[in-house]
């Protein structure tokens, strides 16, 4: 939920409760006020009516009053003396409307010519339903009006207030270490946001410094280590080419070159892990893994043919994942290479691509591997001395930085399965 | 053919010079940014081998200068920095190729020959050893002007060996040249053997006066019979 909508939701919820409570209070207060006014009206009408009746006795003797404003009844003196003025709400049958209507009635008594009368004066109709409806209607309008006000306030005032916050948010969302250059934050009037901006700016700069120095270290290490290795390898190549050497010596030189090449490979793999862990592979995009697998499998096709390995490639659903293309290729290549390399001649490899990842499964004479050790650096399988022992560590590093998980499973029939899933 | 090597490591420069001179190139060297720039401005070369990390400047800037001068020299970047960014930047700036250290000298040799060939668009380019001839543009091999049926991989291997004739070409170098960098992870180059075996058989059957020798512990060598 967006901040603006969230505020709006809570403000309108609180408002509906307060406005409703206010409406109820208002209704009773108003009703009371209306009754008081009616009662006062009835009381003054009573005084003039009694005076009128006393002056015109013929009105008293009329059986039915001309209108329904009042009712007269002759009562005994002792009963009349007990009557005090009282106001009550009652229902009186309306001949016009044919239904009982709520009215306010004043009951009083008076004496005229030594005769005691009970007088009931009926007020004008008091329609509570209508009153409630009117009030409810007005309150509704008030509520809507307040709501509109809040929306307007939210959109104009709050948006303006939170603008630096949203700017910061947009900046952080688009920020990529190694790609983006942070701008020095502008001065903001609101001190909280100003502090937030400055803190984040400092933190990002510290991060960039670490990232850059690490990146330079990796580049320098690469340069400083690879150059002497390159010189040594190439010098040995030249030496082996000189005609005066015996075959046995050339073979020895070949061994040394191979060792140096292993060293170079190891160095390259370690630097690759450092680069991955330093998150130097920044350009990510939607990677179509079906494409990558096709490419890698075609790259290895000669080797696969040579080892007489049968590849079963099935695509249940294509997996498209946000990743750096190079990393995706390294990931797939390492797993496919392992599946082919740690296989026997005439073995099988099963690759299955599904909506949330893929599995690479291979046959092997080897026993189940220890999943706890497998992904660690330099965890090697005995008698495979040519391997660097870093292939799966690289896979793990890629999975870690890209938010995938990698798991290993050993099945019967000597099947080893590696699964990558998002 | 004149080649300029711009590289700050004297040992590296020395051995590249020695190797290329054996291949009958004229080789000049520059050890830093400034002397590299001087040579680029003053002379024309068929190919420039350019290191990126140089004392006094970045090799990519040198490349930029070269392109500003509108010189036709081909450039191969040789760098220990295995960085895709540099590779892309270098190729964008107009480098013809990019080679990561450590590289095989055989590979360097093949790359130099390829970039020079690509630049010289005058007629068909042939590789010739004795009665064996390969038309690099048409991609056909001929023995005594009779076509030799080779598959794509076999032809690639043959071209690579011919470019490095009379030199030991290591199996790893062949694998990387034909199948790409990633194959160095395959750890086992015996599978090249089957290709070589077929190649030898075809050459023999067609009466080519060249042979591919096995150099134990190293690789192969193509020589005249």
């Amino acid at each position: 939920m967006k901040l603006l909508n969230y505020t709006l939701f809570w403000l309108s919820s609180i408002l509906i409760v307060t406005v409703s409570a206010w409406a109820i209070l208002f209704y009773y207060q108003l009703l009371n006020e209306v009754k008081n006014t009616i009662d006062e009206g009835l009381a003054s009408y009573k005084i003039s009516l009694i005076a009128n009746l006393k002056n015109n006795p013929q009105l008293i003797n009329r059986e039915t009053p001309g209108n329904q404003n009042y009712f007269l009844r002759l009562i005994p003196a002792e009963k009349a003396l007990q009557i005090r003025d009282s106001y009550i709400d009652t229902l009186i049958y309306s001949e016009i409307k044919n239904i009982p209507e709520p009215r306010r009635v004043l009951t009083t008594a008076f004496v005229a010519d030594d005769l005691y009368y009970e007088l009931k004066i009926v007020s004008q109709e008091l329609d509570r339903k209508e009153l409630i409806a009117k009030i409810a209607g007005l309150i509704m309008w008030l509520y809507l009006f307040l709501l509109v006000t809040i929306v307007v306030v939210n959109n104009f005032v709050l948006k303006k207030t939170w603008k630096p916050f949203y700017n910061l948010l947009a900046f952080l969302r688009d920020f990529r270490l190694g790609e983006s250059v942070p701008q020095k934050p502008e001065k903001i009037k609101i001190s909280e946001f100003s502090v937030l901006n400055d803190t984040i700016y400092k933190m990002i700069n510290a991060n960039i410094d670490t990232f850059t120095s690490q990146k330079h270290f990796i580049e320098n290490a690469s340069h400083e280590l690879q150059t002497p290795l390159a010189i040594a390898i190439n010098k040995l190549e030249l030496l082996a080419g000189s005609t005066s050497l015996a075959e046995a010596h050339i073979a020895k030189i070949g061994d040394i070159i191979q060792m140096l090449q292993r060293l170079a490979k190891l160095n390259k793999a370690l630097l690759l892990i450092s680069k991955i862990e330093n998150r130097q592979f920044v350009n990510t995009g939607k990677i179509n893994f079906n494409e990558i697998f096709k490419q890698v499998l075609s790259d290895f096709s000669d080797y696969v043919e040579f080892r007489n390995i049968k590849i079963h490639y099935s695509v249940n659903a294509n997996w498209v994942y946000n990743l750096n293309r190079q990393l995706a290729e390294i990931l797939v290549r390492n797993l496919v290479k392992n599946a082919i390399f740690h296989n026997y001649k005439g073995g099988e490899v099963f690759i299955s691509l599904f909506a949330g990842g893929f599995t690479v499964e291979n046959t092997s004479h080897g026993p189940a591997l220890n999943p706890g050790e497998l992904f660690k650096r330099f965890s090697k399988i005995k008698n495979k001395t040519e391997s660097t022992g870093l292939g799966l560590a690289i896979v793990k590093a890629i999975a870690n930085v890209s938010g995938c998980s990698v798991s290993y499973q050993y099945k019967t029939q000597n099947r080893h399965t590696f699964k990558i899933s998002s | 053919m004149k080649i300029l090597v711009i590289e700050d490591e004297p040992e590296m420069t020395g051995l590249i010079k020695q190797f290329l001179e054996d291949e009958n190139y004229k080789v000049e060297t520059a050890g830093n940014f400034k002397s590299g720039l001087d040579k680029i401005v003053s002379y024309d070369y068929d190919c420039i081998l350019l290191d990126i990390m140089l004392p006094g400047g970045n090799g990519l800037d040198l490349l930029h200068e070269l392109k500003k001068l509108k010189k036709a020299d081909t450039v191969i970047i040789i760098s220990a920095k295995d960085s895709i960014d540099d590779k892309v930047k270098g190729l964008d700036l107009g480098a013809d190729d990019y080679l990561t250290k450590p590289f095989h000298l055989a590979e360097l040799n093949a790359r130099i020959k390829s970039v020079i060939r690509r630049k010289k668009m005058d007629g068909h380019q042939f590789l010739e050893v004795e009665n064996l001839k390969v038309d690099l543009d048409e991609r056909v091999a001929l023995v005594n002007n009779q076509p030799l049926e080779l598959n794509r991989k076999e032809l690639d291997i043959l071209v690579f060996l011919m470019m490095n004739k009379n030199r030991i070409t290591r199996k790893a170098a062949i694998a990387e040249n034909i199948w790409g960098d990633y194959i160095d992870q395959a750890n086992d180059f015996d599978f090249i053997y089957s290709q070589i075996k077929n190649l030898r058989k075809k050459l023999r059957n067609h009466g080519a006066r060249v042979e591919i020798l096995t150099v134990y512990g190293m690789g192969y060598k193509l020589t005249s019979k």
Side-chain angles (χ1 to χ4, degrees):
Chain A
M1 197 183 247
K2 276 185 138 184
L3 185 65
L4 277 178
N5 296 342
Y6 188 76
T7 344
L8 193 65
F9 170 74
W10 277 106
L11 280 178
S12 53
S13 304
I14 291 167
L15 210 64
I16 203 162
V17 173
T18 17
V19 168
S20 307
W22 165 254
I24 292 164
L25 204 71
F26 182 70
Y27 167 72
Y28 282 107
Q29 197 64 36
L30 193 69
L31 200 63
N32 218 15
E33 212 50 50
V34 168
K35 275 182 186 169
N36 281 344
T37 316
I38 290 171
D39 292 354
E40 274 165 27
L42 285 173
S44 56
Y45 182 58
K46 178 193 88 177
I47 294 164
S48 63
L49 183 64
I50 290 172
N52 193 24
L53 287 170
K54 279 181 179 174
N55 292 338
N56 303 293
Q58 75 276 10
L59 287 174
I60 297 172
N61 297 327
R62 287 253 298 268
E63 280 292 304
T64 346
N67 54 44
Q68 280 192 316
N69 267 1
Y70 61 91
F71 301 95
L72 269 177
R73 193 156 61 105
L74 200 60
I75 49 166
E78 58 273 23
K79 201 176 173 188
L81 288 172
Q82 281 172 0
I83 291 177
R84 298 279 174 274
D85 282 9
S86 71
Y87 303 91
I88 51 158
D89 294 318
T90 184
L91 289 171
I92 289 177
Y93 190 79
S94 156
E95 283 173 356
I96 307 160
K97 291 186 183 171
N98 254 342
I99 44 159
E101 281 181 347
R103 296 292 177 94
R104 190 80 172 157
V105 174
L106 166 61
T107 310
T108 187
F110 70 96
V111 59
D113 302 330
D114 293 331
L115 285 171
Y116 289 87
Y117 299 93
E118 184 202 57
L119 175 63
K120 286 188 177 201
I121 307 172
V122 180
S123 74
Q124 289 302 311
E125 185 189 345
L126 173 65
D127 195 338
R128 282 166 197 245
K129 270 188 198 157
E130 200 178 320
L131 188 66
I132 291 174
K134 277 265 163 61
I135 292 171
L138 280 172
I139 294 288
M140 260 308 280
W141 281 113
L142 175 70
Y143 180 69
L144 283 177
F145 175 72
L146 285 173
L147 214 59
V148 169
T149 315
I150 289 168
V151 172
V152 169
V153 165
N154 256 335
N155 274 324
F156 289 92
V157 181
L158 285 184
K159 245 186 194 166
K160 195 172 153 53
T161 315
W162 286 94
K163 196 167 183 275
F165 176 76
Y166 283 113
N167 285 347
L168 185 66
L169 216 58
F171 165 70
L172 286 178
R173 197 184 44 222
D174 297 334
F175 184 78
R176 298 279 178 282
L177 204 54
E179 279 182 289
S180 319
V181 181
Q183 302 282 320
K184 182 130 186 74
E186 330 159 8
K187 281 272 158 268
I188 302 165
K189 281 186 210 146
I190 304 162
S191 61
E192 283 89 342
F193 288 143
S194 178
V195 170
L196 185 68
N197 260 7
D198 287 344
T199 314
I200 284 175
Y201 180 70
K202 272 182 204 148
M203 273 169 63
I204 281 177
N205 271 329
N207 263 331
I208 289 172
D209 286 347
T210 318
F211 173 81
T212 314
S213 73
Q214 185 75 12
K215 191 178 167 189
H216 284 157
F217 171 76
I218 292 167
E219 279 168 2
N220 291 339
S222 170
H223 186 259
E224 295 307 320
L225 285 165
Q226 297 298 68
T227 303
L229 280 171
I231 293 168
I233 290 169
N234 292 348
K235 280 202 162 184
L236 286 167
E237 278 183 335
L238 283 180
L239 180 63
S242 44
T243 44
S244 56
L245 284 176
E247 208 173 273
H249 293 147
I250 293 174
K252 282 252 159 56
I253 292 172
D255 291 345
I256 299 170
I257 292 178
Q258 212 170 326
M259 285 297 127
L260 290 174
Q261 215 121 42
R262 234 175 85 188
L263 205 56
K265 223 193 292 184
L266 203 63
N267 181 30
K268 224 167 139 181
L270 280 172
L271 290 170
L272 178 63
I273 293 180
S274 303
K275 263 167 129 178
I276 295 167
E277 286 177 348
N278 196 34
R279 294 168 193 269
Q280 265 167 253
F281 293 89
V282 282
N283 297 311
T284 58
K286 292 245 171 289
I287 299 296
N288 178 336
F289 273 81
N290 185 20
E291 246 173 52
I292 304 252
F293 266 105
K294 279 184 178 162
Q295 177 61 44
V296 169
L297 287 174
S298 105
D299 287 348
F300 280 110
S301 60
D302 288 316
Y303 192 64
V304 166
E305 203 181 311
F306 170 72
R307 305 256 314 173
N308 196 19
I309 285 166
K310 197 161 167 43
I311 305 253
H312 306 267
Y313 179 53
S314 70
V315 183
N316 298 318
N318 192 6
W319 187 41
V320 177
Y321 192 69
N322 211 35
L323 193 67
N324 176 285
R325 183 160 191 99
Q326 234 188 313
L327 288 188
E329 284 171 5
I330 295 168
L331 180 72
V332 170
R333 185 161 291 147
N334 273 333
L335 287 171
V336 170
K337 185 213 73 181
N338 271 357
I340 298 167
F341 183 57
H342 296 287
N343 216 323
Y344 45 80
K345 272 206 166 189
E348 285 176 292
V349 174
F350 301 85
I351 296 166
S352 167
L353 205 56
F354 51 88
F358 62 84
T359 55
V360 177
E361 185 175 320
N362 66 285
T363 53
S364 165
H365 289 316
L369 304 165
N370 179 354
E373 292 293 314
L374 198 55
F375 296 102
K376 287 187 179 162
R377 294 177 187 191
F378 303 115
S379 94
K380 273 200 213 179
I381 299 161
K382 280 172 207 126
N383 73 44
K384 290 274 187 189
T385 47
E386 312 93 318
S387 88
T388 55
L390 289 172
L392 286 174
I394 290 171
V395 167
K396 179 83 181 158
I398 294 173
N400 283 349
V401 297
S402 59
C404 306
S405 70
V406 52
S407 61
Y408 165 76
Q409 209 191 354
Y410 177 76
K411 283 193 218 154
T412 48
Q413 299 170 312
N414 294 328
R415 295 267 192 97
H416 301 262
T417 310
F418 290 87
K419 181 177 179 183
I420 297 283
S421 52
S422 54
Chain B
M1 290 281 177
K2 245 168 75 177
I3 293 181
L4 174 64
V5 182
I6 307 174
E7 156 75 59
D8 65 323
E9 187 67 46
E11 290 279 353
M12 195 78 205
T13 317
L15 71 90
I16 291 175
K17 189 170 155 58
Q18 188 194 335
F19 175 76
L20 293 178
E21 277 172 353
D22 285 353
E23 290 285 320
N24 294 320
Y25 292 108
K26 285 200 187 69
V27 183
E28 286 187 30
T29 61
N32 56 47
F33 186 88
K34 203 182 160 299
S35 66
L37 187 61
D38 288 347
K39 292 215 158 128
I40 283 175
V41 173
S42 317
Y43 309 101
D44 289 325
Y45 297 93
D46 294 290
C47 184
I48 296 169
L49 303 181
L50 180 64
D51 191 6
I52 289 186
M53 288 199 200
L54 288 172
N58 188 311
L60 292 178
D61 295 333
L62 217 48
L63 181 59
H64 196 66
E65 288 297 323
L66 181 79
K67 292 295 153 188
K68 266 203 328 214
L69 293 168
K70 299 207 190 304
K71 293 224 175 188
D73 311 20
T74 60
V75 176
I76 297 174
I77 293 172
I78 44 170
S79 172
K81 253 163 102 179
D82 188 13
S83 149
I84 289 282
D85 289 348
D86 280 346
K87 208 173 210 162
V88 169
K89 222 188 278 173
L91 296 177
D92 277 352
L93 279 171
D96 298 270
D97 213 336
Y98 190 105
L99 208 52
T100 309
K101 287 182 204 165
F103 47 75
H104 305 279
L105 288 171
E107 183 64 32
L108 178 67
N109 191 17
R111 301 270 185 116
I112 291 172
K113 284 184 173 146
S114 302
V115 296
I116 291 175
R117 182 177 73 83
R118 264 188 272 145
K119 270 272 146 71
K120 291 197 170 156
M121 301 290 266
D122 48 349
H124 281 204
Q125 302 276 318
F126 294 101
L127 276 177
E128 265 187 277
V129 180
E130 297 289 333
N131 60 349
L132 173 66
K133 199 154 102 176
V134 174
D135 184 332
L136 293 171
D137 300 290
E138 296 290 329
R139 291 187 56 81
V140 285
L142 306 160
V143 178
N144 296 326
N145 289 322
Q146 294 302 306
L148 179 65
E149 290 296 323
L150 297 176
N151 69 31
R152 199 166 59 83
K153 295 283 156 60
E154 286 163 358
L155 184 73
D156 286 340
I157 293 173
L158 183 64
V159 167
F160 191 59
L161 288 174
M162 282 172 82
M163 279 177 168
N164 290 292
K165 68 171 175 190
N166 295 325
R167 290 187 175 282
I168 298 167
T169 309
R170 301 191 336 98
K171 274 188 277 191
I174 297 172
E176 280 177 44
N177 181 270
I178 314 298
W179 285 275
D181 282 348
Y182 61 89
I183 208 78
D184 74 347
Q185 303 180 339
N187 303 309
D188 173 3
F189 301 120
D190 287 347
F191 76 105
I192 296 169
Y193 176 68
S194 57
Q195 310 265 4
I196 297 277
K197 208 169 70 181
N198 290 336
L199 196 55
R200 275 178 179 155
K201 205 161 99 191
K202 287 178 184 173
L203 289 171
R204 202 169 43 237
N205 290 347
H206 283 75
R209 284 196 301 280
V210 297
E211 60 181 342
I212 299 168
L213 303 171
T214 302
V215 182
Y216 180 72
M218 290 285 279
Y220 302 96
K221 184 156 114 180
L222 184 136
T223 54
S224 310
K225 242 182 203 169

